[in-house]
Amino acid sequence: MGGRKCASSMQCTLLKGRVNQRFCSLLEELKLAFSAILLLQMFSHATAYDPLDPTGNITIKWDIVSWTADGYVAVVTMNNFQMYRHIISPGWTLAWSWAKKEVIWSMVGAQTTEQGDCSKFKANLPHCCKKTPIVVDLLPGVPYNQQFNNCCRGGVLASWGQDPSASVASFQLSVGLAGTSNKTVKLPTNFTLLGPGPGYTCGPAKVVPSTIFLTPDRRRKTQALMTWNVTCTYSPFLASKNPSCCVSFSSFYNDTIIPCPSCACGCQNKDNCIMSNSKLLHKGGINTPRKDNAPLLQCTHHMCPIRVHWHVKLNYKDYWRAKIAITNFNYRMNYTEWTLVVQHPNLRNVTQVFSFDYKPLIPYQSVNDTGMFYGMKFYNDLLMEAGPFGNVQSELLLLKDQNTFTLKQGWAFPRRVYFNGDECKLPPPHTYPYLPNYAFATTIEYSTIAAALLLVIFFV
């Protein structure tokens, strides 16, 4: 009996062990699956997330302001809520797909690039009959009867942080063959936004509370009949597989200039670049932009259109001074209303910026280490194409924080640099200019340790 009980208990123990083992392996599989799903979700959201501007986006708002016999009249407004990323020339392009067989009878403040097939209409021809209309802004100087509020800037849209009044664009359109009430209107789908190239991803249209308008005398409120919003976010991974700018460093305490990394922006244009002393630069039309926005770069080892140089210039008792220089190496592009964003722990103590405008960016209330530099209006807000005038520069004076300030280990150089909203390629940290006395002290420290080890080996 004792033997049988022992055998049965051993069997029970083995059975329990197998069950526990199977349960543990199943649990591990579930953990792995859950981790994979979590990582996938994090990556999918991270592609359109900017840690220095976490709430930045472009919001497209449709307001139906009146009904017509076969549709409605709507005002479309684009708000650029990005703090430092703007849309440069040749401007924005907006497209969508109609849910039914809608047409655009007329537009004010913008136009579609194609009319499409309107052959089924006999008398009045619509402005656009395409299923997926593509809309662009009008150029400055159009006749007054074609203009609308915040229109006609050639698609250029300033960033919210730089100029809120110029970060809005709007146009009006009359839509036919559509619903004539809130219940019968179908929202457009598949919104796309180019600014001017790829990078933006737009979500679906969502009905929101109707917009409230104020009359010009601001004494009466009116309300849109129906409103929906579309939110578009920017991802640098969709815009380009390579950076569009790079950073170089230098300092007063070290003669070494740390250049941009080689092929920092990819070397795909290396075969089509042009030397700075080439006779081709005197050829007419060399600076004319192409329709595909293909660059014509100066031949450099980094092959970047833009280089940002940060120079630690002077060290005072209570202050230190740095110089910033931005150089354009693209012969076919000048940058209007450019922006430069720098992340550095001492930016909380900026005392003076000499020839750039400056605005602190505080995406997280407890951290003040990021700032935006941009050109002064009508002075240096235009960065010319590559050549003798293709650079802008400034200096900044910073108050020392005695608890954190140091010139050791590259502390005086920025952690991140963005030009026009795109992150620039920095040199590897181990190449940063070092203090000669720090290097000497480190060498002495290592040699002292080595000598001590030798003494231990010989005398122990």
Side-chain angles (χ1 to χ4, degrees), residues 33 54 217:
D217 61 5

Side-chain angles (χ1 to χ4, degrees), residues 255-278:
D255 294 334
T256 304
I257 297 176
I258 308 303
C260 288
S262 297
C263 290
C265 299
C267 282
Q268 63 272 16
N269 295 312
K270 201 163 189 176
D271 295 334
N272 299 319
C273 65
I274 188 168
M275 300 299 294
S276 59
N277 58 354
S278 174

Side-chain angles (χ1 to χ4, degrees), residues 253 406-410 433-446:
Y253 54 79
T406 179
L407 292 175
K408 298 178 180 179
Q409 298 178 339
Y434 57 82
L435 283 169
N437 59 342
Y438 177 72
F440 179 68
T442 305
T443 306
I444 292 177
E445 183 180 350
Y446 289 153

Side-chain angles (χ1 to χ4, degrees), residues 54-75:
T55 59
N57 65 73
I58 292 181
T59 299
I60 303 166
K61 181 176 65 173
W62 286 56
D63 291 309
I64 296 180
V65 294
S66 64
W67 302 110
T68 61
D70 67 339
Y72 58 85
V73 175
V75 174

Side-chain angles (χ1 to χ4, degrees), residues 102-123:
E102 293 93 335
V103 296
I104 300 175
W105 282 114
S106 62
M107 294 189 75
V108 182
Q111 64 182 2
T112 59
T113 57
E114 296 181 46
Q115 184 183 34
D117 184 8
C118 297
S119 57
K120 65 179 181 179
F121 296 91
K122 304 303 180 184

Side-chain angles (χ1 to χ4, degrees), residues 85-307:
R85 184 176 292 108
H86 62 289
I87 295 179
I88 61 175
S89 181
W92 55 263
T93 301
L94 179 65
W96 63 84
S97 296
W98 292 117
K100 297 191 291 185
K101 296 182 180 180
E102 293 93 335
V103 296
I104 300 175
W105 282 114
S106 62
M107 294 189 75
V108 182
Q111 64 182 2
T112 59
T113 57
E114 296 181 46
Q115 184 183 34
D117 184 8
C118 297
S119 57
K120 65 179 181 179
F121 296 91
K122 304 303 180 184
N124 297 328
L125 292 180
H127 176 81
C128 180
C129 300
K130 291 184 69 68
K131 176 73 173 178
T132 304
I134 300 174
V135 178
V136 294
D137 194 11
L138 297 179
L139 297 175
V142 297
Y144 184 76
N145 61 352
Q146 297 179 24
Q147 296 181 24
F148 196 72
N149 296 333
N150 300 308
C151 85
C152 313
R153 293 193 292 262
V156 175
L157 207 59
S159 63
W160 178 262
Q162 187 175 3
D163 188 356
S165 63
S167 66
V168 184
S170 58
F171 57 89
Q172 186 182 80
L173 72 167
S174 177
V175 182
L177 304 183
T180 55
S181 70
N182 292 30
K183 294 183 179 180
T184 56
V185 165
K186 298 294 184 183
L187 274 59
T189 60
N190 301 326
F191 281 84
T192 59
L193 175 66
L194 299 178
Y200 286 95
T201 302
C202 299
K206 294 182 180 179
V207 176
V208 296
S210 297
T211 303
I212 304 296
F213 302 100
L214 284 174
T215 55
D217 61 5
R218 307 185 70 83
R219 300 178 64 187
R220 171 178 162 80
K221 294 180 179 180
T222 59
Q223 183 172 314
L225 303 175
M226 186 177 181
T227 301
W228 61 80
N229 280 354
V230 177
T231 302
C232 302
T233 53
Y234 182 83
S235 168
F237 302 104
L238 296 177
S240 175
K241 64 179 181 179
N242 295 311
S244 58
C245 52
C246 66
V247 183
S248 57
F249 293 143
S250 62
S251 65
F252 71 90
Y253 54 79
N254 194 310
D255 294 334
T256 304
I257 297 176
I258 308 303
C260 288
S262 297
C263 290
C265 299
C267 282
Q268 63 272 16
N269 295 312
K270 201 163 189 176
D271 295 334
N272 299 319
C273 65
I274 188 168
M275 300 299 294
S276 59
N277 58 354
S278 174
K279 294 181 179 180
L280 294 175
L281 294 176
H282 302 289
K283 184 179 178 181
I286 193 72
N287 300 119
T288 304
R290 291 174 48 173
K291 289 184 178 180
D292 59 358
N293 290 327
L296 178 61
L297 300 182
Q298 186 181 122
C299 295
T300 59
H301 73 281
H302 52 75
M303 291 305 295
C304 288
I306 293 292
R307 183 192 66 197

Side-chain angles (χ1 to χ4, degrees), residues 357-373:
D357 282 330
Y358 175 76
K359 182 175 184 177
L361 301 177
I362 311 176
Y364 312 101
Q365 296 300 321
S366 59
V367 182
N368 180 12
D369 64 352
T370 306
M372 177 175 67
F373 302 87

